[in-house]
Amino acid sequence: MTTLAATLPRTAPRTRLLGASLSWWLLIAPAAILMLAFYAFPLAEVLWISFTEPEPGLANYQRLLASPALQRVWMTTLRICVITTAITLVAGYVVAYALVSAPPRLQRWMFVCVLLPLWISVLVRAFAWVTLLRSQGVVNQALLGLGLIDQPLRLIWNEFGIAVGMVHYMIPYAVLPLYASMRDIDPRLVPAARGLGATRLEAFRRVFLPLTKPGIVAATVLVFIFSLGFYVTPAILGGGRTLMVAEYIKLQILDLIRWGVGTMMASTLLAAVVLVLAIFARIVDFRRLFGSRH
């Protein structure tokens, strides 16, 4: 009896622990199976095709290093993504700051304006920008009517048009993490800095701006990664004259039936996303960035 009583307190917690562990595994098993079947397996197949079509080897990846056309597509994509991220970050910071500073009643209406683009189809928004920016569009006709230009400007079917449409789409993804970061800042810090002799600009630069670093990093990661794989807006506003990676992949696989090149570009796009995440992970702790307390 003494031996049995001595062993029960040690074995019962272990039994409960194993039971709890088994229960958690059973709960996540369906999601894990779905991820493997519909995410991991297709990605592995894409990677496999990139090495085996049209013949086994590294010929597709060697083409990436040797082909000026492929390099131009990548340079165009990176340039547009950097421009889009920079403009979106600045505009999103201003909007988020205005949101934090606004009274509650006005803040609700401002949030509606920020989130409204997310409720409208990206296709509808892209064609709306075509209507605004084309040669006979609202913008050019207004500038011609005011006598500011003599002939319509080329505002579409180029990198400028793509950047405008992408910035418009990405603004909410920058505003939300920036607003969440600014909302947690003690509003007494900036007035305290002003009371200690700092100018308005110094108080912002040395007190407020560093405290919003997590929001800036989160917004940068979201916008840049979304921009890398963006398809609909560049396809419509670029008009086939300015190709980004996602549109080029579609062209290779669906139009030219060159699966090897298309899957190679898709694999390098995935590698680029992972590389961006790895670089930002060295700069900031993602667990703290997204709310973990540990």
Side-chain angles (χ1 to χ4, degrees):
M1 290 295 291
T2 303
T3 305
L4 180 61
T7 57
L8 280 176
R10 289 195 293 268
T11 57
R14 183 178 300 175
T15 304
R16 286 197 298 270
L17 181 61
L18 291 174
S21 177
L22 180 60
S23 300
W24 282 112
W25 278 109
L26 291 175
L27 284 174
I28 66 173
I33 293 172
L34 287 174
M35 287 289 290
L36 289 173
F38 296 106
Y39 188 77
F41 177 73
L43 285 179
E45 188 172 9
V46 165
L47 189 62
W48 174 260
I49 294 173
S50 71
F51 285 104
T52 57
E53 291 287 343
E55 59 184 20
L58 298 173
N60 291 321
Y61 292 90
Q62 291 172 351
R63 186 178 287 112
L64 178 62
L65 300 176
S67 172
L70 294 181
Q71 295 170 6
R72 185 166 56 251
V73 169
W74 261 111
M75 290 304 298
T76 300
T77 301
L78 292 175
R79 183 168 56 251
I80 293 175
C81 288
V82 170
I83 293 172
T84 299
T85 303
I87 297 174
T88 304
L89 195 61
V90 173
Y93 200 99
V94 173
V95 173
Y97 187 82
L99 273 170
V100 171
S101 306
R105 184 181 180 86
L106 179 60
Q107 193 178 87
R108 287 193 292 269
W109 286 105
M110 292 175 68
F111 259 119
V112 171
C113 294
V114 169
L115 298 177
L116 186 61
L118 296 178
W119 306 335
I120 302 174
S121 169
V122 62
L123 195 63
V124 173
R125 281 181 281 173
F127 278 113
W129 280 112
V130 171
T131 303
L132 290 172
L133 300 178
R134 62 182 181 157
S135 298
Q136 296 79 29
V138 175
V139 175
N140 271 310
Q141 291 303 311
L143 294 175
L144 287 169
L146 293 172
L148 298 177
I149 57 175
D150 297 326
Q151 58 184 1
L153 300 175
R154 292 187 67 249
L155 302 176
I156 203 173
W157 319 135
N158 51 29
E159 293 186 16
F160 176 81
I162 294 174
V164 169
M166 290 178 61
V167 167
H168 175 239
Y169 182 87
M170 296 295 176
I171 283 289
Y173 296 100
V175 170
L176 294 178
L178 286 168
Y179 170 78
S181 179
M182 294 178 185
R183 184 186 55 186
D184 294 334
I185 297 175
D186 191 335
R188 297 170 296 181
L189 292 177
V190 173
R194 295 291 307 280
L196 293 173
T199 64
R200 192 183 298 271
L201 180 60
E202 287 177 335
F204 173 79
R205 182 175 59 86
R206 301 181 64 179
V207 177
F208 190 84
L209 184 62
L211 293 175
T212 59
K213 178 184 174 182
I216 293 173
V217 173
T220 302
V221 170
L222 287 175
V223 173
F224 189 79
I225 288 179
F226 283 173
S227 299
L228 275 177
F230 217 52
Y231 172 73
V232 175
T233 298
I236 294 175
L237 297 179
R241 301 177 186 178
T242 303
L243 288 178
M244 293 181 66
V245 170
E247 188 179 0
Y248 190 83
I249 292 171
K250 174 262 178 188
L251 178 69
Q252 293 296 317
I253 292 178
L254 297 183
D255 297 342
L256 302 178
I257 320 297
R258 297 173 64 187
W259 281 81
V261 177
T263 54
M264 178 272 295
M265 293 293 282
S267 300
T268 53
L269 179 61
L270 178 61
V273 171
V274 173
L275 179 62
V276 170
L277 290 174
I279 292 173
F280 277 103
R282 298 294 297 270
I283 299 173
V284 66
D285 187 351
F286 278 154
R287 291 178 298 177
R288 294 184 60 189
L289 182 62
F290 292 104
S292 175
R293 301 297 182 182
H294 304 289

